[in-house]
């Protein structure tokens, strides 16, 4: 099965609000299967459809990997209906922001509703890593990146670093063209 390409910052697609899934048909099932494979191959614990350029409210999470298991959870049209407590997601990272990690303030626990892969109602009360993963991935569906939840200083540092890398890449490409 082909891996999906994970979009990386500053791709503008990552800042859009995803559209709800209207119908769970075979094409959605195929996307789910590809997202699961892509998440595992990329060594992530979660993946939102917008991260792979698909405009739909769909996320995959699997926090059991730390124990050497594979138990992917599919959330279609997920919504956080309540949250409680405060926690810091230490050293949080993102497949769309490679090579950057930061501490992020989040709710300690969340209550999420949505649909599962079969279109059945789903209610999950989560805490710990699953709570953090669900908040992170649902943020993606709302066009929010985890760098939007860190201090301005750290966010600006990361943005400048990426801008510098992109400029360097562009300069290299331009120099190659001049030599052809």
């Amino acid at each position: 099965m082909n891996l999906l390409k994970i979009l990386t910052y500053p791709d503008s697609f990552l800042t859009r609000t995803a559209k709800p899934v209207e119908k769970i048909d075979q094409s959605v099932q195929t996307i789910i299967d590809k997202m699961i494979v892509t998440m595992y191959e990329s060594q992530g614990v979660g993946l939102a459809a917008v991260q792979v350029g698909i405009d739909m409210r769909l996320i995959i999470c699997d926090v059991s990997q730390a124990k050497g298991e594979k138990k992917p959870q599919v959330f279609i049209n997920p919504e956080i209906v309540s949250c409680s407590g405060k926690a810091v997601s230490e050293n949080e990272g993102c497949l769309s922001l490679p090579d950057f990690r930061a501490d992020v303030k989040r709710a300690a626990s969340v209550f999420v509703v949505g649909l599962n892969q079969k279109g059945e109602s789903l209610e999950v009360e989560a805490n710990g890593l699953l709570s953090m993963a669900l908040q992170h991935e649902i943020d993606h569906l709302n066009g929010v990146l985890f760098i939007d939840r860190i201090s301005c200083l750290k966010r600006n540092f990361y943005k400048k670093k990426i801008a510098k890398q992109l400029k360097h890449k562009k300069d290299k490409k331009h120099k190659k063209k001049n030599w052809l």
Side-chain angles (χ1 to χ4, degrees), residues 44-63:
V45 295
L47 186 65
V50 294
Q51 288 180 271
V52 291
I54 299 170
D55 190 8
M56 62 174 51
R57 296 188 72 78
L58 165 64
I59 64 173
I60 310 294
C61 289
D62 187 353
V63 297

Side-chain angles (χ1 to χ4, degrees), residues 3 14 21 26 34-35 70 74-75 83 91 97 108 111-112 115 119 121 124-125 140 143-144 154 156 172:
L3 293 181
L14 295 169
V21 176
Q26 188 54 49
K34 287 182 178 184
M35 283 178 63
K70 285 188 177 180
V74 176
F75 297 84
C83 50
N91 209 23
L97 291 101
F111 185 72
V112 175
L115 301 173
S121 290
V124 175
E125 188 163 344
H140 275 298
V144 177
K154 287 181 183 176
N156 288 336
K172 266 181 125 173

Side-chain angles (χ1 to χ4, degrees), residues 94-157:
C94 179
L95 296 174
S96 292
L97 291 101
D99 304 322
F100 184 73
R101 300 183 88 67
D103 294 348
V104 181
K105 293 177 185 172
R106 297 206 178 265
S109 64
V110 292
F111 185 72
V112 175
V113 297
L115 301 173
N116 67 15
Q117 192 169 350
K118 297 175 185 174
E120 302 163 338
S121 290
L122 179 68
E123 295 182 353
V124 175
E125 188 163 344
N127 50 44
L129 183 56
L130 181 57
S131 172
M132 301 304 166
L134 287 170
Q135 291 173 76
H136 180 107
E137 300 309 332
I138 292 171
D139 272 355
H140 275 298
L141 300 181
N142 296 320
V144 177
L145 298 172
F146 88 97
I147 59 170
D148 297 325
R149 298 195 177 277
I150 61 176
S151 73
C152 287
L153 183 67
K154 287 181 183 176
R155 182 172 48 251
N156 288 336
F157 171 78

